[in-house]
C-alpha cells in the first residue's frame, strides 16, 4: 500500500469508523473508573489512563499486524472478525466497572479495562491496516481523543441513529472478508476471479447484517 494513496485514505477512514464504533464503551469505562476521584484529579486520571491505554493498544495492534503475516492467521482473524461484527449488532454492553478510590487506582482500572475490552478493536484495526503500522498509529491518534472527549455525544448518536451501528458492523464485515480474501493461500484464486471476490465480500456483509437484525428482532420479541 503506497503512502497517502487512495487505498491508504480509504483504509484510514475504515480504521476511524471501526475505532469510533467499537471504542464507545471504553470511553464510558474511563468515566466510570474516575468518578470517585476529586474533580481536580478526574481530568488528570482520564488523560494519563488514556495515554497508557493508547500505548498498550498501539503495541498490541502492531504485534497483531505482524502476526497476521503468518500463513493461515489472516483467515482465522477474518472469521473472528465476522463474529465480532455480528456481536456488535446483537449484544448489549454492560459497564460493571469499579471506580478507582485513588488517583493511581483509577489509572490502573482504566488501562486494564481498556486492554480487556479492546481485544476486538485490536483485531479489527490490525485487519483494516493491512500490514501498515503507520495506519494503526494514525487511526488511534485521530479516534481516541474523539472517543474520550466526545463519548457522550457518540453514544447518544448511536442510540438515536442505530444505522450508525449497522454501518459500523458493515465496515467490520467488509474488513473481515478482505482479510479472508487476502489470505496467502487464497489470494491467488481471488485475484484471478475478481467477480467471485467481490461477490464473496458482499455476501459476508449482507449475511452479517441480516443475521444481526434477525437476532435483534428475536431478542425484542422476548422482552
Amino acid at each position: 500500500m503506497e503512502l497517502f494513496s487512495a487505498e491508504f485514505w480509504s483504509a484510514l477512514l475504515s480504521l476511524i469508523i471501526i475505532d469510533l464504533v467499537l471504542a464507545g464503551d471504553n470511553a464510558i469505562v474511563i468515566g466510570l473508573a474516575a468518578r470517585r476521584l476529586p474533580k481536580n484529579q478526574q481530568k488528570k486520571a482520564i488523560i494519563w489512563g488514556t495515554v497508557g491505554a493508547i500505548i498498550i493498544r498501539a503495541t498490541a495492534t502492531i504485534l497483531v499486524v505482524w502476526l497476521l503475516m503468518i500463513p493461515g492467521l489472516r483467515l482465522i482473524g477474518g472469521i473472528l472478525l465476522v463474529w465480532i461484527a455480528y456481536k456488535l449488532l446483537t449484544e448489549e454492553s454492560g459497564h460493571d466497572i469499579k471506580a478507582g478510590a485513588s488517583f493511581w487506582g483509577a489509572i490502573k482500572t482504566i488501562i486494564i479495562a481498556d486492554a480487556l475490552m479492546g481485544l476486538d478493536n485490536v483485531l479489527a484495526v490490525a485487519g483494516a491496516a493491512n500490514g501498515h503500522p503507520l495506519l494503526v498509529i494514525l487511526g488511534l491518534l485521530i479516534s481516541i481523543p474523539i472517543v474520550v472527549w466526545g463519548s457522550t455525544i457518540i453514544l447518544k448518536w448511536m442510540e438515536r441513529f442505530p444505522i450508525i451501528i449497522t454501518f459500523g458492523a458493515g465496515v467490520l464485515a467488509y474488513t473481515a472478508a478482505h482479510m479472508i480474501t487476502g489470505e496467502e493461500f487464497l489470494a491467488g484464486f481471488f485475484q484471478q476471479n475478481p467477480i467471485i471476490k467481490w461477490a464473496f465480500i458482499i455476501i459476508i456483509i449482507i449475511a452479517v447484517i441480516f443475521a444481526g437484525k434477525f437476532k435483534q428482532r428475536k431478542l425484542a420479541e422476548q422482552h
Side-chain angles (χ1 to χ4, degrees):
M1 188 189 300
E2 287 184 26
L3 201 62
F4 305 125
S5 63
E7 188 185 0
F8 178 92
W9 291 114
S10 172
L12 182 60
L13 180 61
S14 293
L15 280 171
I16 294 167
I17 292 167
I18 288 167
D19 272 327
L20 292 177
V21 172
L22 287 181
D25 282 350
N26 299 59
I28 298 303
V29 167
I30 288 168
L32 289 173
R35 72 185 185 276
R36 283 189 191 166
L37 295 177
K39 292 285 181 188
N40 64 329
Q41 288 189 357
Q42 282 181 355
K43 202 167 189 178
K44 285 181 185 176
I46 287 170
I47 290 169
W48 285 110
T50 303
V51 167
I54 289 171
I55 292 168
I56 288 172
R57 191 176 291 194
T59 305
T61 308
I62 290 168
L63 177 63
V64 173
V65 165
W66 176 77
L67 285 172
L68 289 175
M69 294 177 187
I70 298 170
L73 286 189
R74 286 185 73 85
L75 176 62
I76 294 167
I79 293 167
L80 283 173
L81 209 50
V82 169
W83 175 246
I84 289 166
Y86 170 74
K87 265 201 327 178
L88 180 66
L89 288 169
T90 59
E91 282 197 355
E92 293 181 5
S93 300
H95 300 111
D96 186 19
I97 303 294
K98 287 185 180 178
S102 67
F103 179 74
W104 291 109
I107 289 175
K108 185 179 78 173
T109 301
I110 289 167
I111 292 172
I112 292 171
D114 186 88
L116 292 174
M117 292 177 65
L119 292 174
D120 53 358
N121 190 286
V122 165
L123 180 60
V125 168
N130 201 23
H132 211 301
L134 177 61
L135 274 172
V136 173
I137 304 298
L138 282 175
L140 285 168
L141 288 176
I142 292 168
S143 61
I144 285 184
I146 297 170
V147 169
V148 172
W149 284 285
S151 60
T152 309
I153 297 168
I154 292 164
L155 290 170
K156 279 181 181 174
W157 281 355
M158 287 180 181
E159 286 171 14
R160 193 172 173 188
F161 306 108
I163 190 71
I164 295 172
I165 300 287
T166 305
F167 182 69
V171 171
L172 277 174
Y174 169 78
T175 301
H178 203 264
M179 284 173 72
I180 293 167
T181 58
E183 176 54 66
E184 195 174 338
F185 61 84
L186 297 174
F189 170 77
F190 283 115
Q191 280 173 4
Q192 289 170 14
N193 301 281
I195 294 172
I196 294 175
K197 175 184 174 179
W198 285 105
F200 175 79
I201 290 171
I202 291 165
I203 287 166
I204 292 288
I205 294 168
I206 292 171
V208 165
I209 292 172
F210 178 81
K213 291 293 181 184
F214 181 76
K215 180 72 172 178
Q216 277 180 346
R217 199 175 298 116
K218 285 285 185 186
L219 290 171
E221 287 170 2
Q222 288 171 9
H223 291 308

